[in-house]
């Protein structure tokens, strides 16, 4: 009885060892992948970069608003200069 | 090693049969009434017996017990192996596919972070390009304004000169006014004398 049972035990132990080995190898691969990702610190760096970008967004929008206001002001100055040129022409006409 | 194992198994068959027959005999004695001669004749021919004195009902029952583990072990193991091999292949394929999917998922997270940053950078670059266009327009307009201001400069200088002259004229007028008032006062004094 014992020897007859040992043969299936032997077969099961080989299978069990094989399955354990496969499981351990797959676990090692998974752990290696996770360690590589952790070691690259990509999550931290990319997250920090995204946070910095969000912080800078307000400054970028403010700069854009300021530039648009400057463009409006230069347009008004151009109108003033055009008006003064018209006045110059009128003055020249009057003096002549 | 496999042949020795098979011989060992076949050697065990007889022992298992004997022990199984003994156990089955004990059970049958406890449960079944004494065997009939018809049952004896039916059960006698098929299986080898260690103890022919036992009831034949046991003989029918006996072969069932040891058959399970060892009777067709040679063919059974081979057939089991043949039946298991394709399952192992499928299981291995399935395992590697799922492992690949898992690793793909692990790496996809980082890829998505990079894509997010890439999109944010693209949008920021578009914003900066718009700001660049606006600033180019502003610089062009300011250059035109500077040129027009330079063309107006002599007139502005003339205006400044005119202003200075007018202010000096005003001061001269004030001085003249005060002198004329003094002169008037002296004249009146002299008139009174």
């Amino acid at each position: 009885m014992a020897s007859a049972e040992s043969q299936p035990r032997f077969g099961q132990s080989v299978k069990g060892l094989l399955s354990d080995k496969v499981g351990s190898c797959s676990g090692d691969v998974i752990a290696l992948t996770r360690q590589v990702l952790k070691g690259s610190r990509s999550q931290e760096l990319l997250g920090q970069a995204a946070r910095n970008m969000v912080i800078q967004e307000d400054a970028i929008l403010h700069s854009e608003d300021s530039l648009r206001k400057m463009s409006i002001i230069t347009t008004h100055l151009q109108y003033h200069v055009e008006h003064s040129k018209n006045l110059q022409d009128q003055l020249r006409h009057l003096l002549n | 090693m496999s042949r020795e194992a098979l011989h060992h198994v076949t050697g065990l068959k007889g022992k298992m049969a004997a022990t199984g027959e003994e156990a089955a005999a004990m059970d049958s004695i406890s449960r079944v009434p004494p065997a009939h001669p018809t049952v004896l004749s039916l059960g006698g021919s098929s299986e080898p017996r260690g103890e022919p004195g036992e009831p034949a009902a046991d003989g029918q029952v006996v072969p069932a017990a040891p058959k399970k583990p060892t009777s067709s072990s040679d063919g059974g193991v081979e057939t089991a192996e043949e039946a298991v091999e394709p399952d192992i292949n499928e299981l291995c394929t399935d395992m590697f596919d799922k492992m690949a999917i898992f690793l793909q998922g692990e790496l996809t997270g980082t890829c998505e972070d990079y894509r997010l940053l890439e999109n944010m950078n693209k949008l920021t670059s578009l914003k900066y390009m718009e700001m660049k266009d606006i600033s180019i327009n502003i610089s062009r307009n300011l250059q035109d304004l500077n040129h027009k201001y330079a063309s107006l400069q002599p007139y502005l200088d003339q205006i400044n000169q005119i202003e200075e002259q007018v202010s000096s004229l005003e001061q001269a007028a004030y001085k003249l006014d005060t002198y004329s008032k003094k002169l008037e006062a002296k004249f009146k004094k002299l008139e009174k004398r």
Side-chain angles (χ1 to χ4, degrees):
Chain A
M1 287 289 287
S3 55
E5 285 178 357
S6 69
Q7 187 175 5
R9 271 185 200 166
F10 176 74
Q12 274 185 359
S13 65
V14 167
K15 285 182 186 176
L17 282 172
L18 190 63
S19 64
D20 287 344
K21 192 72 179 173
V22 167
S24 68
C25 286
S26 58
D28 289 342
V29 167
I30 290 164
L32 177 69
T33 309
R34 283 185 180 158
Q35 194 60 38
V36 164
L37 287 174
K38 263 189 192 176
S40 67
R41 294 175 64 194
S42 57
Q43 286 279 345
E44 299 172 13
L45 295 172
L46 292 172
Q48 192 63 38
R51 271 183 237 117
N52 290 339
M53 190 76 80
V54 168
I55 289 165
Q56 291 297 322
E57 190 182 355
D58 281 339
I60 291 166
L61 289 173
H62 185 67
S63 300
E64 190 184 3
D65 285 340
S66 300
L67 275 173
R68 287 187 197 279
K69 283 177 187 172
M70 276 174 71
S71 70
I72 291 167
I73 289 166
T74 50
T75 310
H76 288 167
L77 280 173
Q78 279 182 330
Y79 291 153
H80 283 299
V81 168
E82 283 297 323
H83 184 64
S84 65
K85 268 202 167 179
N86 291 335
L87 286 174
Q88 178 188 345
D89 292 335
Q90 286 177 10
L91 190 65
R92 205 179 290 155
H93 183 71
L94 275 174
L95 286 173
N96 291 332
Chain B
M1 285 295 290
S2 61
R3 282 183 186 177
E4 290 174 358
L6 286 172
H7 285 301
H8 187 64
V9 165
T10 50
L12 282 171
K13 273 184 191 177
K15 289 182 185 177
M16 283 293 292
T19 53
E21 281 173 358
E22 287 175 356
M26 296 298 289
D27 286 335
S28 65
I29 288 165
S30 64
R31 292 175 196 170
V32 180
H36 298 289
T38 55
V39 176
L40 275 172
S41 64
L42 283 171
S45 60
S46 60
E47 295 294 325
R49 287 187 186 180
E51 296 180 1
E54 294 294 331
D58 306 337
Q60 280 191 346
V61 177
V62 163
K67 261 189 189 175
K68 222 178 175 178
T70 58
S71 62
S72 60
S73 61
D74 297 342
V77 168
E78 290 173 357
T79 54
E81 284 176 352
E82 285 172 359
V84 165
E85 278 177 2
D87 292 335
I88 286 175
N89 285 331
E90 286 175 8
L91 288 171
C92 284
T93 309
D94 191 25
M95 183 190 82
F96 282 119
D97 286 340
K98 286 177 181 173
M99 183 76 80
I101 291 166
F102 169 75
L103 292 174
Q104 191 85 24
E106 285 283 313
L107 296 171
T108 303
T110 308
C111 289
E112 290 299 319
D113 285 341
Y114 275 112
R115 273 186 199 142
L116 171 68
L117 265 182
E118 185 185 3
N119 289 333
M120 288 170 86
N121 276 325
K122 277 181 183 172
L123 288 171
T124 309
S125 68
L126 284 174
K127 279 278 181 189
Y128 275 117
M129 281 171 70
E130 287 174 9
M131 287 163 73
K132 186 191 88 172
D133 292 335
I134 292 169
S135 59
I136 285 169
N137 281 333
I138 288 169
S139 73
R140 200 185 311 131
N141 290 335
L142 284 174
Q143 280 178 3
D144 290 339
L145 278 172
N146 281 330
H147 287 310
K148 287 175 184 175
Y149 187 76
S151 67
L152 283 174
Q153 191 64 41
Y155 294 102
L156 293 172
D157 292 338
Q158 282 181 6
I159 290 167
N160 288 334
Q161 282 178 3
I162 290 167
E163 194 204 352
E164 285 172 6
Q165 287 173 1
V166 164
S167 61
S168 63
L169 183 65
E170 188 182 9
Q171 283 182 4
Y174 280 139
K175 282 180 186 175
L176 188 63
D177 188 31
T178 52
Y179 182 73
S180 65
K181 280 179 184 173
K182 279 182 190 174
L183 198 61
E184 187 184 0
K186 261 189 186 176
F187 182 72
K188 281 181 181 175
K189 212 184 245 186
L190 284 172
E191 253 188 352
K192 280 179 184 176
R193 280 187 192 169

